[in-house]
Amino acid sequence: MPSGKKVKLILYEVLQFAALIVPIFVIMERFASLIYNVKGRDQTAYWLVVAASIAYVTSVTLLVWAPVRYMTIKQRGFIREVTQWRPTAMAYLILCTLPCFAILIASSKVQVDRGQTLDSFSELPVSLVLFFLIWVDIIERIRPCKLMGKSDSLDSDFDISGPVLTHMEPVTTVSSQMNPEEGQNGVTQGQPEAKNGSPSNRFHDVANSPPRTRITSTAYLYSSTSRPLSYSGRPSILWKRDGRSEIFVDSFLFWFDTVEMVRVAGLPSVFYSGWVFPVYILAFLSTLRMIITPHNPLLSSAGFALQDFPFFVLRVALIAVFGFVTPFLYPLKNVLVSLAFIYFTFLTRLKIFRHHSLF
């Protein structure tokens, strides 16, 4: 009977291989149907496109995908030294996502040249491409974690998502600042000693206590921290945190902006125009962020350069040409993230911001 690690490895490899071939076959079949209708119901053209898709999948699987996966699993060659990017994600983007987006652009070009509007590929094909893209991202993120039992130490239990106490300084008490001749309890030396339990005795205990500390960093009352909250009531299971389930949520949130951009490309007014080229090109450039490993400091710069700033410029242009084809929330999100990146990455390093104590 195979071990649990082998079963998990086989499961992940089957799922990733399915994510590689299913979008290509679906996109190519729809493109073959389009060519079939454009060519006057020519069966030969249809089967030529289908045969080309089968040949492409077979060749890239044997020549590229299988060697990359073998070297990744066995840690052979240059893969052994790779720690900041994911070779499997890069191979998937080049072998699957890039050809699918190219076929979508080609289908738009074919219909525009023929003066026909037969298929805008706006529902199942595009959804499958994006879904399997997220699928591969989730598998790469969850691969080090266990599938059964409690979450192990390889998940995000140690990620700090809230404000952290970075500096603490001692604060002297009031009694330590008093005149030594007045005594530690604030009375003269000739005053009789208070009884045990009286207010003056309690003040004396406070004066002899070690100096307290004051938190100088900003800490918010409802901010999240890395320390898990404990609750002993009946619904205590709702307070437990599992990094494996958070991987699914983070992955879908990571791709929502790209999904919205691809949705705009499926609108007939955009799909049958020249704007379909920059939309799909920038959408593919934004997918390159998946190559960078999670929690890599370079991911923030890649998000600004490959997604937020180009998407903001393109969305403003699309709104100016076609109207509100995308919700105004997305360009606002892009400009806010871009300004935050510029401010916290570059402006805060200037001397005027580094030495200013107002904020």
Side-chain angles (χ1 to χ4, degrees), residues 291-306:
I291 300 176
I292 305 173
T293 56
H295 311 296
N296 191 324
L298 186 61
L299 194 60
S300 177
S301 302
F304 168 77
L306 299 177

Side-chain angles (χ1 to χ4, degrees), residues 139-153:
I139 292 176
E140 288 297 306
R141 290 170 183 253
I142 206 173
R143 187 182 290 271
C145 304
K146 296 187 298 185
L147 293 181
M148 302 181 65
K150 294 183 179 181
S151 179
D152 53 13
S153 60

Side-chain angles (χ1 to χ4, degrees), residues 294-339:
H295 311 296
N296 191 324
L298 186 61
L299 194 60
S300 177
S301 302
F304 168 77
L306 299 177
Q307 177 173 282
D308 288 298
F309 182 72
F311 277 18
F312 171 73
V313 176
L314 181 59
R315 280 178 171 137
V316 170
L318 290 174
I319 291 175
V321 175
F322 300 101
F324 286 96
V325 293
T326 183
F328 198 64
L329 172 66
Y330 287 94
L332 290 179
K333 174 259 181 187
N334 295 139
V335 69
L336 180 60
V337 174
S338 300
L339 292 177

Side-chain angles (χ1 to χ4, degrees), residues 53-235:
S53 65
I54 296 175
Y56 173 79
V57 170
T58 304
S59 60
V60 299
T61 300
L62 296 177
L63 299 178
V64 182
W65 183 260
V68 169
R69 291 305 306 146
Y70 176 78
M71 290 189 296
T72 303
I73 295 173
K74 297 295 185 179
Q75 292 296 309
R76 300 291 179 84
F78 72 95
I79 303 295
R80 187 184 310 169
E81 301 177 359
V82 173
T83 58
Q84 301 298 323
W85 58 283
R86 300 185 287 188
T88 301
M90 184 181 67
Y92 180 83
L93 290 176
I94 296 175
L95 300 179
C96 181
T97 307
L98 180 60
C100 289
F101 281 5
I103 293 300
L104 292 173
I105 295 176
S107 64
S108 172
K109 183 64 175 176
V110 168
Q111 296 179 74
V112 170
D113 292 342
R114 291 279 182 168
Q116 299 175 343
T117 57
L118 300 175
D119 192 356
S120 61
F121 294 76
S122 60
E123 68 287 344
L124 180 62
V126 175
S127 298
L128 282 179
V129 172
L130 296 174
F131 174 74
F132 283 111
L133 181 66
I134 302 173
W135 186 326
V136 172
D137 186 28
I138 291 175
I139 292 176
E140 288 297 306
R141 290 170 183 253
I142 206 173
R143 187 182 290 271
C145 304
K146 296 187 298 185
L147 293 181
M148 302 181 65
K150 294 183 179 181
S151 179
D152 53 13
S153 60
L154 294 178
D155 56 25
S156 58
D157 288 343
F158 295 97
D159 293 343
I160 299 176
S161 56
V164 183
L165 302 182
T166 58
H167 177 68
M168 301 181 71
E169 62 180 5
V171 178
T172 57
T173 59
V174 177
S175 59
S176 62
Q177 298 177 357
M178 288 183 175
N179 193 351
E181 287 79 6
E182 295 180 357
Q184 292 182 351
N185 56 354
V187 296
T188 59
Q189 295 180 353
Q191 186 176 353
E193 182 180 0
K195 295 182 180 180
N196 191 16
S198 62
S200 60
N201 189 44
R202 287 195 298 267
F203 187 78
H204 177 74
D205 295 336
V206 173
N208 292 331
S209 62
R212 298 182 181 180
T213 58
R214 180 179 64 191
I215 301 173
T216 59
S217 62
T218 304
Y220 299 99
L221 178 61
Y222 299 105
S223 61
S224 59
T225 61
S226 60
R227 179 178 297 179
L229 298 177
S230 60
Y231 184 75
S232 59
R234 181 169 297 179

